């Protein structure tokens, strides 16, 4: 007849074997997960050597596009884009915007609104044609103003001085000044600012 201690020893041995088997099965199940994160260099191993880990795999990082958080940066990007589309010197547009609104998209003077002080009285149809619904919207306002400038340029042989006077004042008075070989204060100041921008003066 077996002693009580013999039974306890047998039970303990079985328990150890079961635990080892369970650990072995877990290791097999998780081996695929381990391989996803570790790159192992194949080497000749002895029974006492372990695999040599040569590189740790890193998950690819999401590429985040740069975000423009400054309104002035956004306005500058709009000026560059629209000026290029209309083939107009963007420094000229910067000078006009500086004179008209000091880059304040909410500027208003009567019916003249936004960055380029586009007049709602004269440019409602232009807004409808271009799909602009808000004269204060920076992109829409620049689109209206530059489209109008482009129209004036084509109609007046790209005479920038005359175009600036037509953009800013009564057309009859603008043509009278041109006939005298004169420029308005506004046109002179805008052109001076353009030259400063070309020379890198902010």
């Amino acid at each position: 007849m077996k002693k009580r201690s013999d039974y306890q020893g047998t039970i303990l041995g079985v328990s150890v074997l079961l635990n080892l088997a369970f650990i072995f099965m877990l290791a097999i199940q998780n081996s695929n997960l381990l391989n996803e994160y570790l790159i192992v260099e194949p080497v000749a191993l002895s029974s006492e050597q372990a695999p040599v880990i040569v590189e740790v795999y890193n998950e690819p990082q999401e590429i985040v596009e740069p975000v423009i958080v400054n309104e002035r940066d956004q306005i500058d990007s709009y000026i560059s884009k629209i000026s290029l589309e209309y083939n107009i010197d963007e420094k000229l547009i910067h000078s006009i915007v500086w004179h008209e609104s000091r880059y304040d998209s909410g500027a208003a003077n009567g019916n003249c609104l936004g960055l380029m002080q586009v007049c709602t009285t004269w440019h409602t149809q232009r807004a409808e044609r271009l799909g602009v619904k808000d004269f204060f919207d920076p992109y829409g306002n620049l689109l209206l103003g530059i489209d109008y400038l482009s129209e004036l340029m084509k109609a007046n042989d790209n005479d920038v001085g005359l175009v600036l006077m037509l953009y800013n004042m009564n057309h009859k008075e603008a043509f009278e000044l041109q006939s005298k070989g004169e420029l308005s204060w506004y046109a002179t100041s805008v052109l001076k600012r353009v030259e400063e921008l070309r020379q890198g003066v902010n």
Side-chain angles (χ1 to χ4, degrees), residues 12 46 71 77 126 165 169:
L12 179 60
S46 69
E71 183 183 14
S77 71
R126 188 182 306 276
M165 291 192 292
M169 62 191 297

Side-chain angles (χ1 to χ4, degrees), residues 2 20 26 39-40 65 67 84-85 90 96 101 115-116 126 129 134 136 140 145 155 160 167 175 183 188 193:
K2 290 185 178 181
L20 288 173
L26 279 180
I39 298 174
V40 179
E65 293 294 331
V67 178
L84 183 62
E85 291 174 355
E90 67 178 271
I96 292 173
S101 66
L115 293 169
M116 295 188 72
R126 188 182 306 276
R129 172 169 61 81
D134 182 3
F136 286 112
V160 179
Y167 185 87
F175 283 117
L183 289 177
T188 301
R193 178 67 178 161

Side-chain angles (χ1 to χ4, degrees), residues 5-30:
S5 59
D6 293 336
Y7 284 111
Q8 289 177 340
T10 302
I11 293 172
L12 179 60
V14 172
S15 176
V16 169
L17 288 174
L18 287 175
N19 284 332
L20 288 173
F22 178 73
I23 293 171
F24 180 72
M25 286 188 295
L26 279 180
I28 291 175
Q29 290 175 354
N30 290 322

Side-chain angles (χ1 to χ4, degrees), residues 124-193:
T124 299
Q125 290 185 346
R126 188 182 306 276
E128 292 174 356
R129 172 169 61 81
L130 295 174
V132 177
K133 297 181 180 180
D134 182 3
F135 276 65
F136 286 112
D137 173 67
Y139 184 87
N141 191 275
L142 289 165
L143 181 61
L144 290 172
I146 294 173
D147 185 80
Y148 181 40
L149 276 175
S150 177
E151 180 182 294
L152 292 173
M153 291 282 195
K154 291 174 182 177
N156 295 280
D157 298 322
N158 294 313
D159 185 336
V160 179
L162 174 59
V163 166
L164 289 171
M165 291 192 292
L166 292 171
Y167 185 87
N168 175 255
M169 62 191 297
N170 179 279
H171 285 197
K172 181 180 178 181
E173 294 177 4
F175 283 117
E176 287 177 354
L177 284 175
Q178 186 215 25
S179 67
K180 299 176 184 177
E182 299 177 4
L183 289 177
S184 66
W185 172 89
Y186 175 85
T188 301
S189 184
V190 168
L191 292 173
K192 179 182 177 183
R193 178 67 178 161

